[in-house]
PDB file of all heavy atoms in Angstrom:
ATOM      1  N   ALA A  21     -22.079  78.388  -4.508  1.00 96.00           N
ATOM      2  CA  ALA A  21     -22.424  79.707  -3.976  1.00 96.00           C
ATOM      3  C   ALA A  21     -23.134  79.566  -2.632  1.00 96.00           C
ATOM      4  O   ALA A  21     -22.830  80.272  -1.666  1.00 96.00           O
ATOM      5  CB  ALA A  21     -23.299  80.461  -4.971  1.00 96.00           C
ATOM      6  N   GLY A  22     -24.065  78.617  -2.570  1.00 96.00           N
ATOM      7  CA  GLY A  22     -24.785  78.386  -1.317  1.00 96.00           C
ATOM      8  C   GLY A  22     -23.882  77.899  -0.212  1.00 96.00           C
ATOM      9  O   GLY A  22     -24.042  78.276   0.958  1.00 96.00           O
ATOM     10  N   LYS A  23     -22.911  77.078  -0.570  1.00 97.00           N
ATOM     11  CA  LYS A  23     -21.968  76.558   0.418  1.00 97.00           C
ATOM     12  C   LYS A  23     -21.112  77.679   1.001  1.00 97.00           C
ATOM     13  O   LYS A  23     -20.861  77.714   2.221  1.00 97.00           O
ATOM     14  CB  LYS A  23     -21.072  75.507  -0.244  1.00 97.00           C
ATOM     15  CG  LYS A  23     -20.085  74.844   0.698  1.00 97.00           C
ATOM     16  CD  LYS A  23     -19.244  73.812  -0.038  1.00 97.00           C
ATOM     17  CE  LYS A  23     -18.209  73.181   0.891  1.00 97.00           C
ATOM     18  NZ  LYS A  23     -17.358  72.200   0.163  1.00 97.00           N
ATOM     19  N   ILE A  24     -20.673  78.601   0.147  1.00 97.00           N
ATOM     20  CA  ILE A  24     -19.865  79.728   0.619  1.00 97.00           C
ATOM     21  C   ILE A  24     -20.693  80.617   1.542  1.00 97.00           C
ATOM     22  O   ILE A  24     -20.212  81.101   2.576  1.00 97.00           O
ATOM     23  CB  ILE A  24     -19.322  80.553  -0.568  1.00 97.00           C
ATOM     24  CG1 ILE A  24     -18.380  79.703  -1.430  1.00 97.00           C
ATOM     25  CG2 ILE A  24     -18.613  81.816  -0.083  1.00 97.00           C
ATOM     26  CD1 ILE A  24     -17.165  79.172  -0.723  1.00 97.00           C
ATOM     27  N   ILE A  25     -21.944  80.839   1.194  1.00 97.00           N
ATOM     28  CA  ILE A  25     -22.840  81.647   2.026  1.00 97.00           C
ATOM     29  C   ILE A  25     -23.006  81.005   3.401  1.00 97.00           C
ATOM     30  O   ILE A  25     -22.896  81.676   4.437  1.00 97.00           O
ATOM     31  CB  ILE A  25     -24.207  81.813   1.335  1.00 97.00           C
ATOM     32  CG1 ILE A  25     -24.068  82.715   0.096  1.00 97.00           C
ATOM     33  CG2 ILE A  25     -25.241  82.391   2.305  1.00 97.00           C
ATOM     34  CD1 ILE A  25     -25.296  82.737  -0.788  1.00 97.00           C
ATOM     35  N   LYS A  26     -23.219  79.712   3.399  1.00 96.00           N
ATOM     36  CA  LYS A  26     -23.458  78.996   4.662  1.00 96.00           C
ATOM     37  C   LYS A  26     -22.199  78.932   5.521  1.00 96.00           C
ATOM     38  O   LYS A  26     -22.240  79.206   6.727  1.00 96.00           O
ATOM     39  CB  LYS A  26     -23.960  77.580   4.360  1.00 96.00           C
ATOM     40  CG  LYS A  26     -24.343  76.800   5.605  1.00 96.00           C
ATOM     41  CD  LYS A  26     -24.916  75.431   5.237  1.00 96.00           C
ATOM     42  CE  LYS A  26     -25.295  74.649   6.496  1.00 96.00           C
ATOM     43  NZ  LYS A  26     -25.849  73.303   6.150  1.00 96.00           N
ATOM     44  N   SER A  27     -21.063  78.587   4.906  1.00 96.00           N
ATOM     45  CA  SER A  27     -19.832  78.415   5.688  1.00 96.00           C
ATOM     46  C   SER A  27     -19.327  79.718   6.289  1.00 96.00           C
ATOM     47  O   SER A  27     -18.664  79.717   7.327  1.00 96.00           O
ATOM     48  CB  SER A  27     -18.741  77.787   4.813  1.00 96.00           C
ATOM     49  OG  SER A  27     -18.405  78.643   3.740  1.00 96.00           O
ATOM     50  N   ASN A  28     -19.640  80.853   5.650  1.00 96.00           N
ATOM     51  CA  ASN A  28     -19.215  82.155   6.166  1.00 96.00           C
ATOM     52  C   ASN A  28     -20.328  82.902   6.893  1.00 96.00           C
ATOM     53  O   ASN A  28     -20.146  84.059   7.270  1.00 96.00           O
ATOM     54  CB  ASN A  28     -18.685  83.017   5.013  1.00 96.00           C
ATOM     55  CG  ASN A  28     -17.358  82.527   4.469  1.00 96.00           C
ATOM     56  OD1 ASN A  28     -16.315  82.723   5.079  1.00 96.00           O
ATOM     57  ND2 ASN A  28     -17.391  81.863   3.321  1.00 96.00           N
ATOM     58  N   LYS A  29     -21.459  82.238   7.048  1.00 96.00           N
ATOM     59  CA  LYS A  29     -22.618  82.813   7.751  1.00 96.00           C
ATOM     60  C   LYS A  29     -23.009  84.171   7.161  1.00 96.00           C
ATOM     61  O   LYS A  29     -23.173  85.166   7.873  1.00 96.00           O
ATOM     62  CB  LYS A  29     -22.327  82.935   9.252  1.00 96.00           C
ATOM     63  CG  LYS A  29     -22.053  81.596   9.911  1.00 96.00           C
ATOM     64  CD  LYS A  29     -21.734  81.743  11.391  1.00 96.00           C
ATOM     65  CE  LYS A  29     -21.444  80.382  12.009  1.00 96.00           C
ATOM     66  NZ  LYS A  29     -21.088  80.477  13.453  1.00 96.00           N
ATOM     67  N   LEU A  30     -23.135  84.196   5.829  1.00 96.00           N
ATOM     68  CA  LEU A  30     -23.466  85.426   5.118  1.00 96.00           C
ATOM     69  C   LEU A  30     -24.976  85.539   4.910  1.00 96.00           C
ATOM     70  O   LEU A  30     -25.679  84.535   4.837  1.00 96.00           O
ATOM     71  CB  LEU A  30     -22.755  85.440   3.749  1.00 96.00           C
ATOM     72  CG  LEU A  30     -21.236  85.290   3.781  1.00 96.00           C
ATOM     73  CD1 LEU A  30     -20.687  85.101   2.375  1.00 96.00           C
ATOM     74  CD2 LEU A  30     -20.598  86.503   4.445  1.00 96.00           C
ATOM     75  N   SER A  31     -25.435  86.760   4.791  1.00 95.00           N
ATOM     76  CA  SER A  31     -26.860  86.992   4.544  1.00 95.00           C
ATOM     77  C   SER A  31     -27.152  87.178   3.058  1.00 95.00           C
ATOM     78  O   SER A  31     -28.267  87.523   2.674  1.00 95.00           O
ATOM     79  CB  SER A  31     -27.338  88.226   5.316  1.00 95.00           C
ATOM     80  OG  SER A  31     -26.605  89.376   4.921  1.00 95.00           O
ATOM     81  N   ALA A  32     -26.153  86.947   2.219  1.00 97.00           N
ATOM     82  CA  ALA A  32     -26.293  87.141   0.775  1.00 97.00           C
ATOM     83  C   ALA A  32     -27.163  86.061   0.146  1.00 97.00           C
ATOM     84  O   ALA A  32     -27.344  84.976   0.701  1.00 97.00           O
ATOM     85  CB  ALA A  32     -24.915  87.134   0.116  1.00 97.00           C
ATOM     86  N   ALA A  33     -27.698  86.383  -1.036  1.00 98.00           N
ATOM     87  CA  ALA A  33     -28.468  85.422  -1.822  1.00 98.00           C
ATOM     88  C   ALA A  33     -27.597  84.887  -2.949  1.00 98.00           C
ATOM     89  O   ALA A  33     -26.688  85.572  -3.424  1.00 98.00           O
ATOM     90  CB  ALA A  33     -29.713  86.093  -2.398  1.00 98.00           C
ATOM     91  N   ALA A  34     -27.861  83.659  -3.387  1.00 97.00           N
ATOM     92  CA  ALA A  34     -27.089  83.031  -4.461  1.00 97.00           C
ATOM     93  C   ALA A  34     -27.784  83.233  -5.803  1.00 97.00           C
ATOM     94  O   ALA A  34     -29.006  83.092  -5.910  1.00 97.00           O
ATOM     95  CB  ALA A  34     -26.918  81.540  -4.183  1.00 97.00           C
ATOM     96  N   LEU A  35     -26.983  83.571  -6.822  1.00 97.00           N
ATOM     97  CA  LEU A  35     -27.472  83.733  -8.196  1.00 97.00           C
ATOM     98  C   LEU A  35     -26.546  82.996  -9.158  1.00 97.00           C
ATOM     99  O   LEU A  35     -25.380  82.764  -8.841  1.00 97.00           O
ATOM    100  CB  LEU A  35     -27.510  85.215  -8.594  1.00 97.00           C
ATOM    101  CG  LEU A  35     -28.449  86.166  -7.848  1.00 97.00           C
ATOM    102  CD1 LEU A  35     -28.217  87.597  -8.331  1.00 97.00           C
ATOM    103  CD2 LEU A  35     -29.900  85.770  -8.050  1.00 97.00           C
ATOM    104  N   THR A  36     -27.070  82.653 -10.335  1.00 97.00           N
ATOM    105  CA  THR A  36     -26.216  82.067 -11.376  1.00 97.00           C
ATOM    106  C   THR A  36     -26.037  83.015 -12.558  1.00 97.00           C
ATOM    107  O   THR A  36     -25.144  82.813 -13.373  1.00 97.00           O
ATOM    108  CB  THR A  36     -26.815  80.745 -11.888  1.00 97.00           C
ATOM    109  OG1 THR A  36     -28.152  80.981 -12.340  1.00 97.00           O
ATOM    110  CG2 THR A  36     -26.829  79.686 -10.786  1.00 97.00           C
ATOM    111  N   ASP A  37     -26.865  84.064 -12.658  1.00 98.00           N
ATOM    112  CA  ASP A  37     -26.807  85.013 -13.775  1.00 98.00           C
ATOM    113  C   ASP A  37     -26.388  86.385 -13.262  1.00 98.00           C
ATOM    114  O   ASP A  37     -27.142  87.044 -12.540  1.00 98.00           O
ATOM    115  CB  ASP A  37     -28.169  85.101 -14.461  1.00 98.00           C
ATOM    116  CG  ASP A  37     -28.159  86.012 -15.684  1.00 98.00           C
ATOM    117  OD1 ASP A  37     -27.085  86.562 -16.023  1.00 98.00           O
ATOM    118  OD2 ASP A  37     -29.234  86.189 -16.295  1.00 98.00           O
ATOM    119  N   PHE A  38     -25.182  86.841 -13.642  1.00 98.00           N
ATOM    120  CA  PHE A  38     -24.668  88.118 -13.140  1.00 98.00           C
ATOM    121  C   PHE A  38     -25.500  89.307 -13.604  1.00 98.00           C
ATOM    122  O   PHE A  38     -25.521  90.351 -12.946  1.00 98.00           O
ATOM    123  CB  PHE A  38     -23.203  88.304 -13.550  1.00 98.00           C
ATOM    124  CG  PHE A  38     -22.996  88.632 -15.002  1.00 98.00           C
ATOM    125  CD1 PHE A  38     -22.997  89.944 -15.449  1.00 98.00           C
ATOM    126  CD2 PHE A  38     -22.808  87.624 -15.935  1.00 98.00           C
ATOM    127  CE1 PHE A  38     -22.798  90.257 -16.781  1.00 98.00           C
ATOM    128  CE2 PHE A  38     -22.615  87.919 -17.274  1.00 98.00           C
ATOM    129  CZ  PHE A  38     -22.625  89.240 -17.696  1.00 98.00           C
ATOM    130  N   LYS A  39     -26.206  89.177 -14.701  1.00 98.00           N
ATOM    131  CA  LYS A  39     -26.994  90.297 -15.224  1.00 98.00           C
ATOM    132  C   LYS A  39     -28.151  90.660 -14.303  1.00 98.00           C
ATOM    133  O   LYS A  39     -28.690  91.778 -14.367  1.00 98.00           O
ATOM    134  CB  LYS A  39     -27.497  89.986 -16.633  1.00 98.00           C
ATOM    135  CG  LYS A  39     -26.374  89.958 -17.668  1.00 98.00           C
ATOM    136  CD  LYS A  39     -26.882  89.684 -19.063  1.00 98.00           C
ATOM    137  CE  LYS A  39     -25.722  89.651 -20.054  1.00 98.00           C
ATOM    138  NZ  LYS A  39     -26.182  89.324 -21.422  1.00 98.00           N
ATOM    139  N   ARG A  40     -28.522  89.748 -13.436  1.00 98.00           N
ATOM    140  CA  ARG A  40     -29.590  90.040 -12.465  1.00 98.00           C
ATOM    141  C   ARG A  40     -29.138  91.012 -11.378  1.00 98.00           C
ATOM    142  O   ARG A  40     -29.958  91.501 -10.590  1.00 98.00           O
ATOM    143  CB  ARG A  40     -30.094  88.732 -11.844  1.00 98.00           C
ATOM    144  CG  ARG A  40     -30.839  87.829 -12.831  1.00 98.00           C
ATOM    145  CD  ARG A  40     -31.316  86.563 -12.180  1.00 98.00           C
ATOM    146  NE  ARG A  40     -32.252  86.823 -11.082  1.00 98.00           N
ATOM    147  CZ  ARG A  40     -32.706  85.899 -10.242  1.00 98.00           C
ATOM    148  NH1 ARG A  40     -32.285  84.650 -10.357  1.00 98.00           N
ATOM    149  NH2 ARG A  40     -33.546  86.217  -9.279  1.00 98.00           N
ATOM    150  N   LEU A  41     -27.852  91.326 -11.349  1.00 98.00           N
ATOM    151  CA  LEU A  41     -27.338  92.289 -10.371  1.00 98.00           C
ATOM    152  C   LEU A  41     -27.658  93.730 -10.766  1.00 98.00           C
ATOM    153  O   LEU A  41     -27.668  94.619  -9.912  1.00 98.00           O
ATOM    154  CB  LEU A  41     -25.809  92.148 -10.245  1.00 98.00           C
ATOM    155  CG  LEU A  41     -25.274  90.807  -9.738  1.00 98.00           C
ATOM    156  CD1 LEU A  41     -23.749  90.811  -9.808  1.00 98.00           C
ATOM    157  CD2 LEU A  41     -25.747  90.533  -8.318  1.00 98.00           C
ATOM    158  N   ILE A  42     -27.905  93.961 -12.054  1.00 98.00           N
ATOM    159  CA  ILE A  42     -28.125  95.324 -12.547  1.00 98.00           C
ATOM    160  C   ILE A  42     -29.342  95.944 -11.869  1.00 98.00           C
ATOM    161  O   ILE A  42     -30.422  95.353 -11.837  1.00 98.00           O
ATOM    162  CB  ILE A  42     -28.290  95.320 -14.080  1.00 98.00           C
ATOM    163  CG1 ILE A  42     -26.970  94.879 -14.735  1.00 98.00           C
ATOM    164  CG2 ILE A  42     -28.689  96.702 -14.582  1.00 98.00           C
ATOM    165  CD1 ILE A  42     -27.047  94.690 -16.239  1.00 98.00           C
ATOM    166  N   GLY A  43     -29.116  97.119 -11.288  1.00 97.00           N
ATOM    167  CA  GLY A  43     -30.178  97.813 -10.575  1.00 97.00           C
ATOM    168  C   GLY A  43     -30.328  97.394  -9.123  1.00 97.00           C
ATOM    169  O   GLY A  43     -31.144  97.972  -8.393  1.00 97.00           O
ATOM    170  N   LYS A  44     -29.518  96.411  -8.690  1.00 98.00           N
ATOM    171  CA  LYS A  44     -29.664  95.894  -7.325  1.00 98.00           C
ATOM    172  C   LYS A  44     -28.442  96.137  -6.443  1.00 98.00           C
ATOM    173  O   LYS A  44     -28.542  96.069  -5.218  1.00 98.00           O
ATOM    174  CB  LYS A  44     -29.972  94.395  -7.370  1.00 98.00           C
ATOM    175  CG  LYS A  44     -31.308  94.061  -8.018  1.00 98.00           C
ATOM    176  CD  LYS A  44     -31.549  92.557  -8.033  1.00 98.00           C
ATOM    177  CE  LYS A  44     -32.893  92.230  -8.664  1.00 98.00           C
ATOM    178  NZ  LYS A  44     -33.128  90.772  -8.737  1.00 98.00           N
ATOM    179  N   VAL A  45     -27.265  96.357  -7.066  1.00 98.00           N
ATOM    180  CA  VAL A  45     -26.055  96.597  -6.274  1.00 98.00           C
ATOM    181  C   VAL A  45     -25.310  97.814  -6.789  1.00 98.00           C
ATOM    182  O   VAL A  45     -25.531  98.268  -7.916  1.00 98.00           O
ATOM    183  CB  VAL A  45     -25.112  95.363  -6.283  1.00 98.00           C
ATOM    184  CG1 VAL A  45     -25.788  94.154  -5.659  1.00 98.00           C
ATOM    185  CG2 VAL A  45     -24.638  95.054  -7.703  1.00 98.00           C
ATOM    186  N   ASP A  46     -24.401  98.325  -5.949  1.00 98.00           N
ATOM    187  CA  ASP A  46     -23.588  99.489  -6.319  1.00 98.00           C
ATOM    188  C   ASP A  46     -22.233  99.080  -6.892  1.00 98.00           C
ATOM    189  O   ASP A  46     -21.674  99.788  -7.738  1.00 98.00           O
ATOM    190  CB  ASP A  46     -23.328 100.368  -5.088  1.00 98.00           C
ATOM    191  CG  ASP A  46     -24.602 100.766  -4.369  1.00 98.00           C
ATOM    192  OD1 ASP A  46     -25.503 101.302  -5.031  1.00 98.00           O
ATOM    193  OD2 ASP A  46     -24.686 100.538  -3.138  1.00 98.00           O
ATOM    194  N   ALA A  47     -21.698  97.963  -6.402  1.00 98.00           N
ATOM    195  CA  ALA A  47     -20.330  97.580  -6.760  1.00 98.00           C
ATOM    196  C   ALA A  47     -20.193  96.067  -6.740  1.00 98.00           C
ATOM    197  O   ALA A  47     -20.863  95.379  -5.960  1.00 98.00           O
ATOM    198  CB  ALA A  47     -19.338  98.209  -5.784  1.00 98.00           C
ATOM    199  N   VAL A  48     -19.308  95.556  -7.605  1.00 98.00           N
ATOM    200  CA  VAL A  48     -19.077  94.116  -7.656  1.00 98.00           C
ATOM    201  C   VAL A  48     -17.586  93.811  -7.711  1.00 98.00           C
ATOM    202  O   VAL A  48     -16.783  94.635  -8.152  1.00 98.00           O
ATOM    203  CB  VAL A  48     -19.753  93.456  -8.882  1.00 98.00           C
ATOM    204  CG1 VAL A  48     -21.252  93.713  -8.897  1.00 98.00           C
ATOM    205  CG2 VAL A  48     -19.114  93.920 -10.183  1.00 98.00           C
ATOM    206  N   VAL A  49     -17.245  92.613  -7.262  1.00 98.00           N
ATOM    207  CA  VAL A  49     -15.916  92.046  -7.452  1.00 98.00           C
ATOM    208  C   VAL A  49     -16.066  90.922  -8.462  1.00 98.00           C
ATOM    209  O   VAL A  49     -16.894  90.023  -8.276  1.00 98.00           O
ATOM    210  CB  VAL A  49     -15.330  91.497  -6.142  1.00 98.00           C
ATOM    211  CG1 VAL A  49     -14.023  90.752  -6.416  1.00 98.00           C
ATOM    212  CG2 VAL A  49     -15.106  92.611  -5.142  1.00 98.00           C
TER     213      VAL A  49
END
């Protein structure tokens, strides 16, 4: 996840647990 963030110059944070997305995002792929 960190490698993808770095190689694409993204400002996203890396997580390993998808349940931590609840309450933080509107939509997911």
Side-chain angles (χ1 to χ4, degrees):
K23 183 180 178 182
I24 297 299
I25 291 170
K26 185 177 180 180
S27 63
N28 290 284
K29 299 179 181 178
L30 303 171
S31 59
L35 296 175
T36 56
D37 183 1
F38 74 89
K39 291 181 181 177
R40 292 180 61 188
L41 298 175
I42 295 174
K44 295 180 179 178
V45 298
D46 306 307
V48 302
V49 173

